[in-house]
Amino acid sequence: MNIKMDIQIVNTILYCEKWQETVAFYKNTLKLPETSSLGWFVEFELNRTSRLSIADASKTSVGSSAGKGITITMKVDDIETACAFLRENGLKDATVKEHAWGSKVIYFSDPEGNRLEFWL
């Protein structure tokens, strides 16, 4: 028997103590489109098949990781444009760096301390 699952959408959920600030960051700084909101849970669209959700940890049974051990990586088609976008939207220290394996990367953190990486 060779059964396959058909995964249609992937969603990562970040449980946050700084919920309002983190939601505002993804909405206003990264300008991600909001797909749903439940008052304590907001889902953002990263692309057609990927989502990133921000949950208020005080309203759930799952605690915040406070950014420890989490890196959200997103491949972009133009790293310089991504850097200009981030700077224009409030991340004035955004810089493109060369990674050891030859990629170009931009590192920054959201208000909860979760590390984000844009790369090409």
Side-chain angles (χ1 to χ4, degrees):
M1 183 179 263
N2 191 10
I3 300 172
K4 276 178 86 172
M5 288 192 302
D6 181 21
I7 298 171
Q8 298 176 5
I9 294 177
V10 174
N11 185 15
T12 300
I13 302 171
L14 302 174
Y15 295 87
C16 299
E17 292 174 2
K18 297 178 183 175
W19 184 76
Q20 289 181 339
E21 299 95 322
T22 306
V23 168
F25 175 82
Y26 287 98
K27 183 183 246 177
N28 303 324
T29 302
L30 295 188
K31 307 284 188 209
L32 296 177
E34 190 177 302
T35 60
S36 65
S37 177
L38 302 174
W40 60 272
F41 182 94
V42 179
E43 181 183 89
F44 295 100
E45 181 177 329
L46 298 174
N47 63 27
R48 193 175 56 78
T49 60
S50 300
R51 307 289 187 267
L52 179 67
S53 294
I54 312 302
D56 185 343
S58 72
K59 307 271 195 272
T60 71
S61 61
V62 179
S64 169
S65 67
K68 293 183 174 101
I70 295 175
T71 299
I72 300 166
T73 68
M74 294 169 268
K75 184 179 182 189
V76 295
D77 62 355
D78 185 329
I79 198 76
E80 295 299 335
T81 298
C83 189
F85 174 88
L86 293 171
R87 286 182 185 164
E88 182 178 286
N89 288 290
L91 293 175
K92 303 298 180 202
D93 294 335
T95 57
V96 176
K97 298 177 181 176
E98 295 285 332
H99 197 281
W101 64 69
S103 294
K104 293 184 178 186
V105 298
I106 304 167
Y107 297 111
F108 55 99
S109 296
D110 69 17
E112 189 72 11
N114 298 301
R115 184 178 187 210
L116 289 98
E117 171 190 275
F118 283 2
W119 66 279
L120 177 63

